Amino acid sequence: MESSLEISVTPTSDPVGQERLAEILADPGFGTHFTDHMFVAEWTPEQGWHDARVTPYAPLTLDPATAVLHYAQEIFEGMKAYRHDDGSVWTFRPEMNAERMVRSARRLALPELPVADFVGSVDALVRADERWVPDAAGEKSLYVRPFMFASETFLGVRPAKHVTFMVIASPAGAYFAKGLKPVSIWLSEDYARAGRGGMGAAKTGGNYASSLVAQQEAIEQGCDQVAFLDATEQKYVEELGGMNLYFVHDDGTIVTPELSGTILEGITRSSIIELCGKLGHRVEERRFTVDEWREGVASGRITEVFACGTAAVVTPVGTLKWRGGETSTGEDIGPVTQQVRQNLVDIQYGRAEDTFGWMHRVC
Ligand SMILES: Cc1ncc(COP(=O)(O)O)c(C=O)c1O
């Protein structure tokens, strides 16, 4: 479906020079360099979505009473644009991000942005900043961050009557510049990420704010990432601070925690379920206890654990550590983890046939 947004484009008069851009793209890191342009659209109850524009990237001027700064009515998405060997630029299942943003908007009482308008907005920015999409070599990409926030100047707890939707983009380097290495996980027993009826399934800043102290604890414990349990029984594995989890068993079964309403419905997670089907692996979506994790690794029933998300695609998990113990599947990347990762990355970079129809050509 075509976007109904009329998007004006004002090119920057001061683009980053070609030499500087080449330097940035040679070693982009993550989330520190931003492209020449940004996408902005406004919403009011009277006008709906309007004033859609691609403009030069610039700081925002916000009144100190802007609602989002106080009540956190905000949602976002994370996706990537990939350059293929023939120079074309593609996004991966952008309508899935658009649909998730609609669900997040409903939960946060924000206006819904139609799927076609979301995809059209991302396309407009990526086209304007096409030269910022790194070459296919390595696993570089252009990370794209759509977000929506309560921009009304108003102190009071009610849904905002002025909302702004924006898209910005930032070149991203290979997540594992020094090769794939398993991450270690700290089990958070003092902090929950999301409870029943809360916002866990929405991609909203508050969920990440609430995860920071647990992530800090993980670092203090010498671990890379934190895993959260369900808030009610403190028994079932939910997800990491920014990735979903998969457990590979010795009988070939692969288990991923079911969508309980408290975890994020990862697009990588959904894609892996479909991909595994094609690769002949059986995936079970079900509740999965932390005792199953601990005992499964100790007994050898669980042979591989991996995490997945847009940023790192698929990351092997080595050690699980908790207060009083730890267990590990080792420091190697397992064959299933490797196979799933390779298949997904090959589709994203156009090196394998996209039999699922997942890729969307931008330019
Ligand atoms: C909490 C959380 N879970 C899971 C994911 C993975 O989602 P996706 O595969 O859509 O990137 C993310 C990352 O976006 C996340 O922030």
Side-chain angles (χ1 to χ4, degrees), residues 43-50 161-162:
W43 178 91
T44 59
E46 298 77 29
Q47 287 182 275
W49 289 108
H50 63 279
K161 292 180 183 155
H162 190 150

Side-chain angles (χ1 to χ4, degrees), residues 76-79 92 96-97 100 143 145 193 200 202-203 207-208 228 239-245 263-271 308-313:
F76 66 98
E77 271 304 323
M79 54 202 291
F92 179 73
M96 295 275 282
N97 295 92
R100 187 167 66 189
Y143 183 80
R145 166 55 56 86
R193 178 181 171 277
K203 203 159 168 67
N207 289 335
Y208 298 82
F228 291 100
E239 61 180 329
L240 304 185
M243 283 187 268
N244 296 113
L245 282 166
I263 69 172
L264 194 77
E265 187 172 350
I267 290 153
T268 320
R269 174 191 178 282
S270 306
S271 306
C308 66
T310 296
V313 196

